[in-house]
Amino acid sequence: VQLQASGGGLVQAGGSLSLSCAASGRTLSGYYMGWFRQAPGKEREYVAAITDSGRVPYYRDAVKGRFTITRDNGKNTVYLQMNSLRPEDTAVYYCTADQDPRVWIATDWDFWGQGTLVTVSS
């Protein structure tokens, strides 16, 4: 699976951004999809994930109520809508895919996109 993330950019605190991740090489059907992020000088951390059916989303506590993960299996794409952004959300965001991960553990995910930078100014 090849993953291509897009949609990052610069936004003021309180603003919104929408990230997309398009997959190629094989269908996403049967794969969990996720988003991780890595801020400068910090470890990569789990942000959100969604089951292969799209019915069950998962979120880290810090983004609950602000971020929404969705997927469109027909378009082989996963999305991350980010609202009420904060400076601490600044990071490179990576999309991921795996068939059966422990969603909060980065090493459980087999496939990674190249990352897209999100910068939130105060």
Side-chain angles (χ1 to χ4, degrees), residues 76-115:
N76 249 16
T77 302
V78 64
Y79 306 94
L80 186 68
Q81 177 65 41
M82 305 185 294
N83 298 328
S84 302
L85 283 161
R86 304 167 180 168
E88 55 264 39
D89 295 318
T90 294
V92 176
Y93 283 69
Y94 299 88
C95 62
T96 60
D98 194 85
Q99 290 184 302
D100 188 24
R102 290 167 293 181
V103 298
W104 61 94
I105 299 177
T107 53
D108 271 21
W109 295 83
D110 280 343
F111 302 100
W112 290 79
Q114 86 291 356

PDB file of all heavy atoms in Angstrom, residues 76-115:
ATOM      1  N   ASN A  76     -10.766   5.008  -1.747  1.00  0.00           N
ATOM      2  CA  ASN A  76      -9.490   4.596  -1.149  1.00  0.00           C
ATOM      3  C   ASN A  76      -8.819   5.740  -0.405  1.00  0.00           C
ATOM      4  O   ASN A  76      -7.596   5.937  -0.510  1.00  0.00           O
ATOM      5  CB  ASN A  76      -8.554   4.049  -2.231  1.00  0.00           C
ATOM      6  CG  ASN A  76      -8.332   2.554  -2.093  1.00  0.00           C
ATOM      7  OD1 ASN A  76      -9.064   1.862  -1.404  1.00  0.00           O
ATOM      8  ND2 ASN A  76      -7.315   2.052  -2.763  1.00  0.00           N
ATOM      9  N   THR A  77      -9.605   6.511   0.346  1.00  0.00           N
ATOM     10  CA  THR A  77      -9.107   7.716   0.982  1.00  0.00           C
ATOM     11  C   THR A  77      -9.586   7.802   2.430  1.00  0.00           C
ATOM     12  O   THR A  77     -10.729   7.439   2.727  1.00  0.00           O
ATOM     13  CB  THR A  77      -9.559   8.969   0.205  1.00  0.00           C
ATOM     14  OG1 THR A  77      -9.097   8.875  -1.139  1.00  0.00           O
ATOM     15  CG2 THR A  77      -9.013  10.238   0.833  1.00  0.00           C
ATOM     16  N   VAL A  78      -8.707   8.297   3.293  1.00  0.00           N
ATOM     17  CA  VAL A  78      -9.066   8.589   4.676  1.00  0.00           C
ATOM     18  C   VAL A  78      -8.854  10.077   4.913  1.00  0.00           C
ATOM     19  O   VAL A  78      -7.970  10.689   4.294  1.00  0.00           O
ATOM     20  CB  VAL A  78      -8.239   7.738   5.657  1.00  0.00           C
ATOM     21  CG1 VAL A  78      -6.757   8.065   5.570  1.00  0.00           C
ATOM     22  CG2 VAL A  78      -8.754   7.878   7.076  1.00  0.00           C
ATOM     23  N   TYR A  79      -9.673  10.646   5.782  1.00  0.00           N
ATOM     24  CA  TYR A  79      -9.663  12.080   6.030  1.00  0.00           C
ATOM     25  C   TYR A  79      -9.481  12.361   7.521  1.00  0.00           C
ATOM     26  O   TYR A  79      -9.873  11.552   8.373  1.00  0.00           O
ATOM     27  CB  TYR A  79     -10.974  12.710   5.558  1.00  0.00           C
ATOM     28  CG  TYR A  79     -11.332  12.407   4.128  1.00  0.00           C
ATOM     29  CD1 TYR A  79     -12.173  11.338   3.811  1.00  0.00           C
ATOM     30  CD2 TYR A  79     -10.837  13.177   3.074  1.00  0.00           C
ATOM     31  CE1 TYR A  79     -12.503  11.036   2.504  1.00  0.00           C
ATOM     32  CE2 TYR A  79     -11.170  12.893   1.758  1.00  0.00           C
ATOM     33  CZ  TYR A  79     -11.997  11.828   1.482  1.00  0.00           C
ATOM     34  OH  TYR A  79     -12.313  11.538   0.179  1.00  0.00           O
ATOM     35  N   LEU A  80      -8.924  13.519   7.807  1.00  0.00           N
ATOM     36  CA  LEU A  80      -8.859  13.996   9.189  1.00  0.00           C
ATOM     37  C   LEU A  80      -9.275  15.464   9.182  1.00  0.00           C
ATOM     38  O   LEU A  80      -8.528  16.321   8.706  1.00  0.00           O
ATOM     39  CB  LEU A  80      -7.457  13.840   9.773  1.00  0.00           C
ATOM     40  CG  LEU A  80      -7.346  14.191  11.259  1.00  0.00           C
ATOM     41  CD1 LEU A  80      -8.112  13.164  12.107  1.00  0.00           C
ATOM     42  CD2 LEU A  80      -5.874  14.243  11.706  1.00  0.00           C
ATOM     43  N   GLN A  81     -10.465  15.724   9.676  1.00  0.00           N
ATOM     44  CA  GLN A  81     -10.951  17.099   9.814  1.00  0.00           C
ATOM     45  C   GLN A  81     -10.505  17.610  11.173  1.00  0.00           C
ATOM     46  O   GLN A  81     -10.820  17.002  12.206  1.00  0.00           O
ATOM     47  CB  GLN A  81     -12.470  17.148   9.699  1.00  0.00           C
ATOM     48  CG  GLN A  81     -13.062  18.527   9.908  1.00  0.00           C
ATOM     49  CD  GLN A  81     -12.641  19.508   8.830  1.00  0.00           C
ATOM     50  OE1 GLN A  81     -12.580  19.170   7.654  1.00  0.00           O
ATOM     51  NE2 GLN A  81     -12.336  20.740   9.243  1.00  0.00           N
ATOM     52  N   MET A  82      -9.771  18.715  11.169  1.00  0.00           N
ATOM     53  CA  MET A  82      -9.215  19.264  12.399  1.00  0.00           C
ATOM     54  C   MET A  82      -9.799  20.652  12.639  1.00  0.00           C
ATOM     55  O   MET A  82      -9.576  21.566  11.835  1.00  0.00           O
ATOM     56  CB  MET A  82      -7.686  19.335  12.297  1.00  0.00           C
ATOM     57  CG  MET A  82      -7.038  18.012  11.957  1.00  0.00           C
ATOM     58  SD  MET A  82      -5.246  18.070  11.970  1.00  0.00           S
ATOM     59  CE  MET A  82      -4.965  19.170  10.592  1.00  0.00           C
ATOM     60  N   ASN A  83     -10.529  20.796  13.712  1.00  0.00           N
ATOM     61  CA  ASN A  83     -11.147  22.068  14.082  1.00  0.00           C
ATOM     62  C   ASN A  83     -10.557  22.568  15.395  1.00  0.00           C
ATOM     63  O   ASN A  83      -9.927  21.816  16.131  1.00  0.00           O
ATOM     64  CB  ASN A  83     -12.658  21.894  14.224  1.00  0.00           C
ATOM     65  CG  ASN A  83     -13.328  21.463  12.935  1.00  0.00           C
ATOM     66  OD1 ASN A  83     -12.902  21.823  11.831  1.00  0.00           O
ATOM     67  ND2 ASN A  83     -14.388  20.681  13.061  1.00  0.00           N
ATOM     68  N   SER A  84     -10.793  23.838  15.677  1.00  0.00           N
ATOM     69  CA  SER A  84     -10.317  24.443  16.927  1.00  0.00           C
ATOM     70  C   SER A  84      -8.843  24.136  17.162  1.00  0.00           C
ATOM     71  O   SER A  84      -8.440  23.732  18.260  1.00  0.00           O
ATOM     72  CB  SER A  84     -11.163  23.951  18.112  1.00  0.00           C
ATOM     73  OG  SER A  84     -12.522  24.251  17.917  1.00  0.00           O
ATOM     74  N   LEU A  85      -8.053  24.333  16.133  1.00  0.00           N
ATOM     75  CA  LEU A  85      -6.643  23.985  16.216  1.00  0.00           C
ATOM     76  C   LEU A  85      -5.904  24.834  17.233  1.00  0.00           C
ATOM     77  O   LEU A  85      -6.220  26.015  17.440  1.00  0.00           O
ATOM     78  CB  LEU A  85      -5.996  24.111  14.843  1.00  0.00           C
ATOM     79  CG  LEU A  85      -6.313  22.940  13.901  1.00  0.00           C
ATOM     80  CD1 LEU A  85      -6.058  23.313  12.452  1.00  0.00           C
ATOM     81  CD2 LEU A  85      -5.490  21.721  14.289  1.00  0.00           C
ATOM     82  N   ARG A  86      -4.908  24.224  17.847  1.00  0.00           N
ATOM     83  CA  ARG A  86      -4.100  24.866  18.884  1.00  0.00           C
ATOM     84  C   ARG A  86      -2.629  24.831  18.467  1.00  0.00           C
ATOM     85  O   ARG A  86      -2.227  23.947  17.707  1.00  0.00           O
ATOM     86  CB  ARG A  86      -4.262  24.109  20.205  1.00  0.00           C
ATOM     87  CG  ARG A  86      -5.703  23.977  20.679  1.00  0.00           C
ATOM     88  CD  ARG A  86      -5.815  22.968  21.794  1.00  0.00           C
ATOM     89  NE  ARG A  86      -7.198  22.825  22.268  1.00  0.00           N
ATOM     90  CZ  ARG A  86      -7.618  21.854  23.075  1.00  0.00           C
ATOM     91  NH1 ARG A  86      -6.745  20.952  23.517  1.00  0.00           N
ATOM     92  NH2 ARG A  86      -8.881  21.804  23.448  1.00  0.00           N
ATOM     93  N   PRO A  87      -1.819  25.723  18.983  1.00  0.00           N
ATOM     94  CA  PRO A  87      -0.386  25.683  18.647  1.00  0.00           C
ATOM     95  C   PRO A  87       0.250  24.331  18.942  1.00  0.00           C
ATOM     96  O   PRO A  87       1.152  23.898  18.206  1.00  0.00           O
ATOM     97  CB  PRO A  87       0.197  26.792  19.525  1.00  0.00           C
ATOM     98  CG  PRO A  87      -0.928  27.774  19.673  1.00  0.00           C
ATOM     99  CD  PRO A  87      -2.173  26.923  19.755  1.00  0.00           C
ATOM    100  N   GLU A  88      -0.215  23.644  19.961  1.00  0.00           N
ATOM    101  CA  GLU A  88       0.354  22.335  20.304  1.00  0.00           C
ATOM    102  C   GLU A  88      -0.026  21.233  19.312  1.00  0.00           C
ATOM    103  O   GLU A  88       0.495  20.119  19.398  1.00  0.00           O
ATOM    104  CB  GLU A  88      -0.044  21.906  21.728  1.00  0.00           C
ATOM    105  CG  GLU A  88      -1.522  21.899  21.994  1.00  0.00           C
ATOM    106  CD  GLU A  88      -2.009  23.181  22.658  1.00  0.00           C
ATOM    107  OE1 GLU A  88      -1.513  24.271  22.294  1.00  0.00           O
ATOM    108  OE2 GLU A  88      -2.910  23.078  23.518  1.00  0.00           O
ATOM    109  N   ASP A  89      -0.909  21.539  18.369  1.00  0.00           N
ATOM    110  CA  ASP A  89      -1.210  20.594  17.294  1.00  0.00           C
ATOM    111  C   ASP A  89      -0.183  20.673  16.162  1.00  0.00           C
ATOM    112  O   ASP A  89      -0.232  19.872  15.229  1.00  0.00           O
ATOM    113  CB  ASP A  89      -2.604  20.862  16.710  1.00  0.00           C
ATOM    114  CG  ASP A  89      -3.723  20.610  17.715  1.00  0.00           C
ATOM    115  OD1 ASP A  89      -3.649  19.604  18.440  1.00  0.00           O
ATOM    116  OD2 ASP A  89      -4.661  21.427  17.760  1.00  0.00           O
ATOM    117  N   THR A  90       0.717  21.636  16.227  1.00  0.00           N
ATOM    118  CA  THR A  90       1.742  21.784  15.197  1.00  0.00           C
ATOM    119  C   THR A  90       2.621  20.539  15.138  1.00  0.00           C
ATOM    120  O   THR A  90       3.181  20.115  16.146  1.00  0.00           O
ATOM    121  CB  THR A  90       2.613  23.015  15.487  1.00  0.00           C
ATOM    122  OG1 THR A  90       1.801  24.192  15.367  1.00  0.00           O
ATOM    123  CG2 THR A  90       3.779  23.104  14.519  1.00  0.00           C
ATOM    124  N   ALA A  91       2.712  19.947  13.943  1.00  0.00           N
ATOM    125  CA  ALA A  91       3.467  18.711  13.767  1.00  0.00           C
ATOM    126  C   ALA A  91       3.414  18.299  12.304  1.00  0.00           C
ATOM    127  O   ALA A  91       2.631  18.845  11.523  1.00  0.00           O
ATOM    128  CB  ALA A  91       2.887  17.594  14.631  1.00  0.00           C
ATOM    129  N   VAL A  92       4.235  17.319  11.969  1.00  0.00           N
ATOM    130  CA  VAL A  92       4.067  16.615  10.705  1.00  0.00           C
ATOM    131  C   VAL A  92       3.079  15.485  10.955  1.00  0.00           C
ATOM    132  O   VAL A  92       3.255  14.703  11.897  1.00  0.00           O
ATOM    133  CB  VAL A  92       5.404  16.062  10.187  1.00  0.00           C
ATOM    134  CG1 VAL A  92       5.183  15.255   8.907  1.00  0.00           C
ATOM    135  CG2 VAL A  92       6.392  17.202   9.940  1.00  0.00           C
ATOM    136  N   TYR A  93       2.061  15.412  10.137  1.00  0.00           N
ATOM    137  CA  TYR A  93       1.018  14.411  10.283  1.00  0.00           C
ATOM    138  C   TYR A  93       1.219  13.307   9.248  1.00  0.00           C
ATOM    139  O   TYR A  93       1.392  13.587   8.055  1.00  0.00           O
ATOM    140  CB  TYR A  93      -0.363  15.049  10.114  1.00  0.00           C
ATOM    141  CG  TYR A  93      -0.798  15.813  11.333  1.00  0.00           C
ATOM    142  CD1 TYR A  93      -0.161  17.007  11.691  1.00  0.00           C
ATOM    143  CD2 TYR A  93      -1.827  15.348  12.161  1.00  0.00           C
ATOM    144  CE1 TYR A  93      -0.545  17.707  12.830  1.00  0.00           C
ATOM    145  CE2 TYR A  93      -2.215  16.046  13.292  1.00  0.00           C
ATOM    146  CZ  TYR A  93      -1.569  17.215  13.625  1.00  0.00           C
ATOM    147  OH  TYR A  93      -1.950  17.908  14.755  1.00  0.00           O
ATOM    148  N   TYR A  94       1.174  12.065   9.716  1.00  0.00           N
ATOM    149  CA  TYR A  94       1.380  10.898   8.879  1.00  0.00           C
ATOM    150  C   TYR A  94       0.128  10.031   8.865  1.00  0.00           C
ATOM    151  O   TYR A  94      -0.480   9.797   9.919  1.00  0.00           O
ATOM    152  CB  TYR A  94       2.527  10.050   9.416  1.00  0.00           C
ATOM    153  CG  TYR A  94       3.860  10.746   9.471  1.00  0.00           C
ATOM    154  CD1 TYR A  94       4.234  11.476  10.592  1.00  0.00           C
ATOM    155  CD2 TYR A  94       4.745  10.667   8.397  1.00  0.00           C
ATOM    156  CE1 TYR A  94       5.468  12.115  10.649  1.00  0.00           C
ATOM    157  CE2 TYR A  94       5.976  11.299   8.442  1.00  0.00           C
ATOM    158  CZ  TYR A  94       6.327  12.023   9.569  1.00  0.00           C
ATOM    159  OH  TYR A  94       7.544  12.658   9.610  1.00  0.00           O
ATOM    160  N   CYS A  95      -0.231   9.542   7.696  1.00  0.00           N
ATOM    161  CA  CYS A  95      -1.311   8.557   7.649  1.00  0.00           C
ATOM    162  C   CYS A  95      -0.707   7.159   7.604  1.00  0.00           C
ATOM    163  O   CYS A  95       0.418   6.967   7.131  1.00  0.00           O
ATOM    164  CB  CYS A  95      -2.244   8.800   6.479  1.00  0.00           C
ATOM    165  SG  CYS A  95      -1.501   8.686   4.853  1.00  0.00           S
ATOM    166  N   THR A  96      -1.477   6.231   8.116  1.00  0.00           N
ATOM    167  CA  THR A  96      -0.980   4.871   8.282  1.00  0.00           C
ATOM    168  C   THR A  96      -2.067   3.864   7.915  1.00  0.00           C
ATOM    169  O   THR A  96      -3.261   4.182   7.922  1.00  0.00           O
ATOM    170  CB  THR A  96      -0.561   4.606   9.741  1.00  0.00           C
ATOM    171  OG1 THR A  96      -1.713   4.792  10.576  1.00  0.00           O
ATOM    172  CG2 THR A  96       0.529   5.549  10.190  1.00  0.00           C
ATOM    173  N   ALA A  97      -1.641   2.651   7.632  1.00  0.00           N
ATOM    174  CA  ALA A  97      -2.577   1.572   7.322  1.00  0.00           C
ATOM    175  C   ALA A  97      -2.036   0.252   7.865  1.00  0.00           C
ATOM    176  O   ALA A  97      -0.826   0.007   7.833  1.00  0.00           O
ATOM    177  CB  ALA A  97      -2.798   1.459   5.818  1.00  0.00           C
ATOM    178  N   ASP A  98      -2.942  -0.558   8.352  1.00  0.00           N
ATOM    179  CA  ASP A  98      -2.572  -1.883   8.831  1.00  0.00           C
ATOM    180  C   ASP A  98      -3.838  -2.710   8.978  1.00  0.00           C
ATOM    181  O   ASP A  98      -4.922  -2.170   9.187  1.00  0.00           O
ATOM    182  CB  ASP A  98      -1.848  -1.806  10.180  1.00  0.00           C
ATOM    183  CG  ASP A  98      -1.156  -3.101  10.520  1.00  0.00           C
ATOM    184  OD1 ASP A  98      -0.009  -3.296  10.060  1.00  0.00           O
ATOM    185  OD2 ASP A  98      -1.763  -3.922  11.232  1.00  0.00           O
ATOM    186  N   GLN A  99      -3.679  -4.015   8.921  1.00  0.00           N
ATOM    187  CA  GLN A  99      -4.868  -4.859   8.960  1.00  0.00           C
ATOM    188  C   GLN A  99      -5.392  -5.096  10.369  1.00  0.00           C
ATOM    189  O   GLN A  99      -6.595  -5.284  10.553  1.00  0.00           O
ATOM    190  CB  GLN A  99      -4.570  -6.190   8.267  1.00  0.00           C
ATOM    191  CG  GLN A  99      -4.412  -6.031   6.758  1.00  0.00           C
ATOM    192  CD  GLN A  99      -4.212  -7.360   6.057  1.00  0.00           C
ATOM    193  OE1 GLN A  99      -3.290  -8.089   6.361  1.00  0.00           O
ATOM    194  NE2 GLN A  99      -5.073  -7.650   5.106  1.00  0.00           N
ATOM    195  N   ASP A 100      -4.534  -5.092  11.364  1.00  0.00           N
ATOM    196  CA  ASP A 100      -5.014  -5.396  12.718  1.00  0.00           C
ATOM    197  C   ASP A 100      -4.087  -4.788  13.773  1.00  0.00           C
ATOM    198  O   ASP A 100      -3.445  -5.517  14.516  1.00  0.00           O
ATOM    199  CB  ASP A 100      -5.121  -6.904  12.906  1.00  0.00           C
ATOM    200  CG  ASP A 100      -5.805  -7.276  14.211  1.00  0.00           C
ATOM    201  OD1 ASP A 100      -6.569  -6.451  14.743  1.00  0.00           O
ATOM    202  OD2 ASP A 100      -5.563  -8.393  14.713  1.00  0.00           O
ATOM    203  N   PRO A 101      -4.021  -3.469  13.827  1.00  0.00           N
ATOM    204  CA  PRO A 101      -3.078  -2.842  14.765  1.00  0.00           C
ATOM    205  C   PRO A 101      -3.665  -2.605  16.151  1.00  0.00           C
ATOM    206  O   PRO A 101      -4.884  -2.543  16.303  1.00  0.00           O
ATOM    207  CB  PRO A 101      -2.807  -1.494  14.092  1.00  0.00           C
ATOM    208  CG  PRO A 101      -4.156  -1.155  13.507  1.00  0.00           C
ATOM    209  CD  PRO A 101      -4.730  -2.466  13.045  1.00  0.00           C
ATOM    210  N   ARG A 102      -2.777  -2.482  17.148  1.00  0.00           N
ATOM    211  CA  ARG A 102      -3.140  -1.786  18.376  1.00  0.00           C
ATOM    212  C   ARG A 102      -2.971  -0.317  18.018  1.00  0.00           C
ATOM    213  O   ARG A 102      -1.859   0.151  17.842  1.00  0.00           O
ATOM    214  CB  ARG A 102      -2.212  -2.221  19.516  1.00  0.00           C
ATOM    215  CG  ARG A 102      -2.447  -3.644  19.968  1.00  0.00           C
ATOM    216  CD  ARG A 102      -1.333  -4.137  20.849  1.00  0.00           C
ATOM    217  NE  ARG A 102      -0.089  -4.274  20.104  1.00  0.00           N
ATOM    218  CZ  ARG A 102       1.052  -4.714  20.635  1.00  0.00           C
ATOM    219  NH1 ARG A 102       1.105  -5.050  21.911  1.00  0.00           N
ATOM    220  NH2 ARG A 102       2.149  -4.804  19.887  1.00  0.00           N
ATOM    221  N   VAL A 103      -4.068   0.396  17.896  1.00  0.00           N
ATOM    222  CA  VAL A 103      -4.061   1.642  17.127  1.00  0.00           C
ATOM    223  C   VAL A 103      -3.122   2.702  17.695  1.00  0.00           C
ATOM    224  O   VAL A 103      -2.643   3.547  16.950  1.00  0.00           O
ATOM    225  CB  VAL A 103      -5.489   2.215  16.991  1.00  0.00           C
ATOM    226  CG1 VAL A 103      -6.372   1.247  16.227  1.00  0.00           C
ATOM    227  CG2 VAL A 103      -6.096   2.545  18.355  1.00  0.00           C
ATOM    228  N   TRP A 104      -2.850   2.665  18.996  1.00  0.00           N
ATOM    229  CA  TRP A 104      -2.040   3.705  19.619  1.00  0.00           C
ATOM    230  C   TRP A 104      -0.529   3.412  19.544  1.00  0.00           C
ATOM    231  O   TRP A 104       0.283   4.196  19.998  1.00  0.00           O
ATOM    232  CB  TRP A 104      -2.451   3.877  21.091  1.00  0.00           C
ATOM    233  CG  TRP A 104      -2.245   2.646  21.898  1.00  0.00           C
ATOM    234  CD1 TRP A 104      -1.153   2.318  22.652  1.00  0.00           C
ATOM    235  CD2 TRP A 104      -3.156   1.540  22.010  1.00  0.00           C
ATOM    236  NE1 TRP A 104      -1.322   1.088  23.230  1.00  0.00           N
ATOM    237  CE2 TRP A 104      -2.542   0.583  22.860  1.00  0.00           C
ATOM    238  CE3 TRP A 104      -4.419   1.259  21.500  1.00  0.00           C
ATOM    239  CZ2 TRP A 104      -3.154  -0.622  23.195  1.00  0.00           C
ATOM    240  CZ3 TRP A 104      -5.026   0.061  21.831  1.00  0.00           C
ATOM    241  CH2 TRP A 104      -4.393  -0.849  22.654  1.00  0.00           C
ATOM    242  N   ILE A 105      -0.158   2.256  18.966  1.00  0.00           N
ATOM    243  CA  ILE A 105       1.235   1.844  18.924  1.00  0.00           C
ATOM    244  C   ILE A 105       1.791   1.987  17.520  1.00  0.00           C
ATOM    245  O   ILE A 105       1.399   1.264  16.595  1.00  0.00           O
ATOM    246  CB  ILE A 105       1.398   0.392  19.421  1.00  0.00           C
ATOM    247  CG1 ILE A 105       0.926   0.285  20.865  1.00  0.00           C
ATOM    248  CG2 ILE A 105       2.846  -0.064  19.276  1.00  0.00           C
ATOM    249  CD1 ILE A 105       0.983  -1.108  21.439  1.00  0.00           C
ATOM    250  N   ALA A 106       2.724   2.894  17.324  1.00  0.00           N
ATOM    251  CA  ALA A 106       3.234   3.221  15.994  1.00  0.00           C
ATOM    252  C   ALA A 106       3.855   2.003  15.310  1.00  0.00           C
ATOM    253  O   ALA A 106       3.671   1.798  14.104  1.00  0.00           O
ATOM    254  CB  ALA A 106       4.247   4.352  16.082  1.00  0.00           C
ATOM    255  N   THR A 107       4.569   1.191  16.061  1.00  0.00           N
ATOM    256  CA  THR A 107       5.258   0.048  15.454  1.00  0.00           C
ATOM    257  C   THR A 107       4.304  -1.040  14.988  1.00  0.00           C
ATOM    258  O   THR A 107       4.726  -1.968  14.294  1.00  0.00           O
ATOM    259  CB  THR A 107       6.290  -0.536  16.430  1.00  0.00           C
ATOM    260  OG1 THR A 107       5.640  -0.818  17.673  1.00  0.00           O
ATOM    261  CG2 THR A 107       7.443   0.438  16.676  1.00  0.00           C
ATOM    262  N   ASP A 108       3.031  -0.959  15.352  1.00  0.00           N
ATOM    263  CA  ASP A 108       2.055  -1.945  14.887  1.00  0.00           C
ATOM    264  C   ASP A 108       1.577  -1.666  13.468  1.00  0.00           C
ATOM    265  O   ASP A 108       0.953  -2.520  12.851  1.00  0.00           O
ATOM    266  CB  ASP A 108       0.839  -1.980  15.820  1.00  0.00           C
ATOM    267  CG  ASP A 108       1.011  -2.968  16.966  1.00  0.00           C
ATOM    268  OD1 ASP A 108       2.164  -3.320  17.278  1.00  0.00           O
ATOM    269  OD2 ASP A 108      -0.023  -3.376  17.540  1.00  0.00           O
ATOM    270  N   TRP A 109       1.836  -0.461  12.968  1.00  0.00           N
ATOM    271  CA  TRP A 109       1.316  -0.069  11.661  1.00  0.00           C
ATOM    272  C   TRP A 109       2.368  -0.359  10.583  1.00  0.00           C
ATOM    273  O   TRP A 109       3.499   0.117  10.661  1.00  0.00           O
ATOM    274  CB  TRP A 109       0.966   1.414  11.654  1.00  0.00           C
ATOM    275  CG  TRP A 109      -0.166   1.761  12.585  1.00  0.00           C
ATOM    276  CD1 TRP A 109      -0.083   2.002  13.925  1.00  0.00           C
ATOM    277  CD2 TRP A 109      -1.539   1.919  12.230  1.00  0.00           C
ATOM    278  NE1 TRP A 109      -1.327   2.293  14.438  1.00  0.00           N
ATOM    279  CE2 TRP A 109      -2.237   2.250  13.423  1.00  0.00           C
ATOM    280  CE3 TRP A 109      -2.259   1.818  11.049  1.00  0.00           C
ATOM    281  CZ2 TRP A 109      -3.616   2.481  13.441  1.00  0.00           C
ATOM    282  CZ3 TRP A 109      -3.631   2.053  11.068  1.00  0.00           C
ATOM    283  CH2 TRP A 109      -4.292   2.369  12.249  1.00  0.00           C
ATOM    284  N   ASP A 110       1.964  -1.097   9.557  1.00  0.00           N
ATOM    285  CA  ASP A 110       2.908  -1.531   8.526  1.00  0.00           C
ATOM    286  C   ASP A 110       3.188  -0.472   7.461  1.00  0.00           C
ATOM    287  O   ASP A 110       4.284  -0.424   6.915  1.00  0.00           O
ATOM    288  CB  ASP A 110       2.395  -2.792   7.827  1.00  0.00           C
ATOM    289  CG  ASP A 110       2.651  -4.049   8.636  1.00  0.00           C
ATOM    290  OD1 ASP A 110       3.477  -4.010   9.559  1.00  0.00           O
ATOM    291  OD2 ASP A 110       2.018  -5.083   8.333  1.00  0.00           O
ATOM    292  N   PHE A 111       2.197   0.329   7.116  1.00  0.00           N
ATOM    293  CA  PHE A 111       2.328   1.234   5.982  1.00  0.00           C
ATOM    294  C   PHE A 111       2.199   2.685   6.437  1.00  0.00           C
ATOM    295  O   PHE A 111       1.307   3.013   7.212  1.00  0.00           O
ATOM    296  CB  PHE A 111       1.268   0.920   4.917  1.00  0.00           C
ATOM    297  CG  PHE A 111       1.340  -0.488   4.411  1.00  0.00           C
ATOM    298  CD1 PHE A 111       0.470  -1.459   4.881  1.00  0.00           C
ATOM    299  CD2 PHE A 111       2.299  -0.841   3.469  1.00  0.00           C
ATOM    300  CE1 PHE A 111       0.546  -2.762   4.430  1.00  0.00           C
ATOM    301  CE2 PHE A 111       2.377  -2.147   3.012  1.00  0.00           C
ATOM    302  CZ  PHE A 111       1.506  -3.102   3.487  1.00  0.00           C
ATOM    303  N   TRP A 112       3.082   3.535   5.917  1.00  0.00           N
ATOM    304  CA  TRP A 112       3.136   4.945   6.309  1.00  0.00           C
ATOM    305  C   TRP A 112       3.225   5.831   5.079  1.00  0.00           C
ATOM    306  O   TRP A 112       3.959   5.517   4.129  1.00  0.00           O
ATOM    307  CB  TRP A 112       4.363   5.201   7.187  1.00  0.00           C
ATOM    308  CG  TRP A 112       4.262   4.573   8.534  1.00  0.00           C
ATOM    309  CD1 TRP A 112       4.481   3.250   8.841  1.00  0.00           C
ATOM    310  CD2 TRP A 112       3.907   5.207   9.754  1.00  0.00           C
ATOM    311  NE1 TRP A 112       4.278   3.038  10.184  1.00  0.00           N
ATOM    312  CE2 TRP A 112       3.930   4.231  10.769  1.00  0.00           C
ATOM    313  CE3 TRP A 112       3.569   6.517  10.096  1.00  0.00           C
ATOM    314  CZ2 TRP A 112       3.622   4.516  12.105  1.00  0.00           C
ATOM    315  CZ3 TRP A 112       3.272   6.806  11.421  1.00  0.00           C
ATOM    316  CH2 TRP A 112       3.294   5.815  12.410  1.00  0.00           C
ATOM    317  N   GLY A 113       2.523   6.965   5.141  1.00  0.00           N
ATOM    318  CA  GLY A 113       2.671   7.987   4.119  1.00  0.00           C
ATOM    319  C   GLY A 113       3.869   8.870   4.438  1.00  0.00           C
ATOM    320  O   GLY A 113       4.542   8.699   5.456  1.00  0.00           O
ATOM    321  N   GLN A 114       4.106   9.861   3.586  1.00  0.00           N
ATOM    322  CA  GLN A 114       5.302  10.684   3.713  1.00  0.00           C
ATOM    323  C   GLN A 114       5.152  11.831   4.692  1.00  0.00           C
ATOM    324  O   GLN A 114       6.143  12.433   5.064  1.00  0.00           O
ATOM    325  CB  GLN A 114       5.706  11.247   2.333  1.00  0.00           C
ATOM    326  CG  GLN A 114       5.022  12.534   1.936  1.00  0.00           C
ATOM    327  CD  GLN A 114       3.541  12.399   1.656  1.00  0.00           C
ATOM    328  OE1 GLN A 114       2.966  11.314   1.672  1.00  0.00           O
ATOM    329  NE2 GLN A 114       2.892  13.525   1.398  1.00  0.00           N
ATOM    330  N   GLY A 115       3.959  12.144   5.121  1.00  0.00           N
ATOM    331  CA  GLY A 115       3.761  13.208   6.084  1.00  0.00           C
ATOM    332  C   GLY A 115       3.391  14.531   5.437  1.00  0.00           C
ATOM    333  O   GLY A 115       3.837  14.848   4.328  1.00  0.00           O
TER     334      GLY A 115
END
